[in-house]
Amino acid sequence: MEAENHIELSEFLLLGLSDNPELQPMLFGLFLSMYLVTVLGNLLIILAITSDSHLHTPMYFFLSNLSFVDICLISTTVPNMLVNIQVHSKDISYIGCLIQMYFFMFFAGLDNFLLTVMAYDRFVAICHPLHYMVIMNPCFCVLLVLMSWFIIFWASILQILLMKRLTFSIRTEIPHFFCDLAQLLQMATSDTLINNIILYVAAALLCVFPLTGILFSYYQIVSSLMQMSSTAGKYKAFSTCGSHLSVVSLFYGTSLGVYLSSAVTHSSHRSLVASVMYTVVTPMLNPFIYSLRNKEVKGALGRLLSRADSCP
């Protein structure tokens, strides 16, 4: 009991994806490859956008921010897991766990907000094309991003402050490969009622409302497209939304899968698989989705790589 009351002595064990020692080298190689592909792909998107004046528009400004956040999101979980596999250790300190949890919530929340802002950008571009450059001016775009950072910063801080009031047993086992808020609340030895209430309120405000905003934006977009007489015009207008829709479906589909699988089946294995999808696979696929479906991005990437080849 005394150990539980001294949270500074607490230590957690991240059980990871598998206890089988024969699978550890394969997991290390797989996740190292996915991490490197994610970082390289998103860096190329950022460099292509910043170096090409044709892409200095609100849509690509938000895309470059999304790529930066994706790099940060995967960097909060995968490197620590790779180190643990390499040194054959599952330990993570109490403070280290809170830091990892904070940055994961911060960047996952930013991902969520940026996807909402990008949906609003497409709504203005398609439904109000004549006023697009006036509404989506550079100052307003920067303000939208800064507001997203500000809101998520304080929302994440609140969750961490509430976590610090909880107590845990020494060497608490977490059936995950990173410190997940929901998993830690289940492992706490003290009352978590307030934490759960705030968690549900935050989920409603920071997840449900943005998703509602995305759905409303696309409802308006579809309604506007239905009024167009030209089929070519409809296709051209909606093609600019294809990549964003794919990323939104992937992000929300996998993140919802985490909580539905854990709530319905109570299967830690299925929850782990779903977590890998939205914490690792989604950030890795985003650059490919935007580059393969977007001629302007492919052109900018081609020009960037050709300039790199021509440099001595």
Side-chain angles (χ1 to χ4, degrees), residues 91-104:
D91 298 347
I92 184 170
S93 67
Y94 173 78
I95 296 299
C97 192
L98 288 186
I99 292 174
Q100 186 185 59
M101 187 193 309
Y102 170 78
F103 282 109
F104 177 78

Side-chain angles (χ1 to χ4, degrees), residues 80-302:
N80 181 73
M81 183 183 68
L82 294 176
V83 171
N84 287 350
I85 293 175
Q86 192 67 16
V87 300
H88 306 289
S89 172
K90 298 180 179 180
D91 298 347
I92 184 170
S93 67
Y94 173 78
I95 296 299
C97 192
L98 288 186
I99 292 174
Q100 186 185 59
M101 187 193 309
Y102 170 78
F103 282 109
F104 177 78
M105 290 188 296
F106 181 75
F107 291 116
L110 268 181
D111 241 3
N112 188 25
F113 270 43
L114 285 174
L115 290 174
T116 307
V117 169
M118 294 171 76
Y120 175 72
D121 172 73
R122 292 299 84 205
F123 158 71
V124 176
I126 293 174
C127 299
H128 305 283
L130 298 179
H131 302 94
Y132 177 71
M133 295 309 299
V134 176
I135 297 175
M136 303 302 294
N137 60 78
C139 291
F140 183 63
C141 292
V142 172
L143 179 63
L144 288 175
V145 173
L146 290 179
M147 283 179 59
S148 300
W149 281 71
F150 180 80
I151 294 171
I152 296 300
F153 172 82
W154 287 110
S156 302
I157 284 288
L158 176 61
Q159 294 290 348
I160 296 301
L161 292 177
L162 290 172
M163 285 297 300
K164 285 184 66 67
R165 56 182 287 276
L166 303 180
T167 56
F168 299 88
S169 300
I170 292 178
R171 297 181 71 80
T172 297
E173 294 185 349
I174 304 174
H176 220 303
F177 66 95
F178 68 93
C179 290
D180 181 61
L181 176 61
Q183 292 284 347
L184 275 177
L185 289 179
Q186 295 177 11
M187 302 298 162
T189 57
S190 55
D191 182 52
T192 60
L193 177 62
I194 296 177
N195 297 71
N196 284 315
I197 292 173
I198 298 299
L199 177 61
Y200 289 129
V201 172
L205 294 176
L206 304 180
C207 296
V208 177
F209 283 179
L211 179 58
T212 303
I214 292 174
L215 294 175
F216 178 76
S217 295
Y218 275 102
Y219 170 76
Q220 294 293 328
I221 288 172
V222 172
S223 299
S224 179
L225 292 179
M226 293 297 291
Q227 298 175 8
M228 290 185 181
S229 57
S230 172
T231 304
K234 290 180 182 180
Y235 176 78
K236 183 178 180 181
F238 198 74
S239 64
T240 63
C241 307
S243 299
H244 180 259
L245 269 177
S246 301
V247 172
V248 167
S249 301
L250 192 60
F251 180 80
Y252 280 101
T254 53
S255 56
L256 285 175
V258 173
Y259 298 103
L260 290 178
S261 62
S262 59
V264 175
T265 66
H266 300 284
S267 170
S268 59
H269 177 71
R270 292 186 180 182
S271 179
L272 272 175
V273 172
S275 295
V276 169
M277 287 298 296
Y278 88 94
T279 59
V280 181
V281 177
T282 299
M284 181 183 69
L285 292 181
N286 285 355
F288 295 100
I289 292 173
Y290 275 100
S291 61
L292 292 176
R293 295 180 59 92
N294 193 304
K295 293 181 180 180
E296 292 179 326
V297 173
K298 284 193 290 187
L301 285 172

Side-chain angles (χ1 to χ4, degrees), residues 35-89:
Y35 179 71
L36 293 177
V37 169
T38 302
V39 173
L40 179 60
N42 283 288
L43 275 178
L44 284 175
I45 292 290
I46 295 172
L47 290 174
I49 292 173
T50 54
S51 64
D52 197 311
S53 59
H54 296 92
L55 301 184
H56 292 175
T57 62
M59 181 174 70
Y60 295 112
F61 169 72
F62 296 133
L63 176 57
S64 62
N65 277 271
L66 181 68
S67 293
F68 172 74
V69 170
D70 280 341
I71 293 174
C72 296
L73 177 62
I74 195 173
S75 296
T76 62
T77 57
V78 173
N80 181 73
M81 183 183 68
L82 294 176
V83 171
N84 287 350
I85 293 175
Q86 192 67 16
V87 300
H88 306 289
S89 172

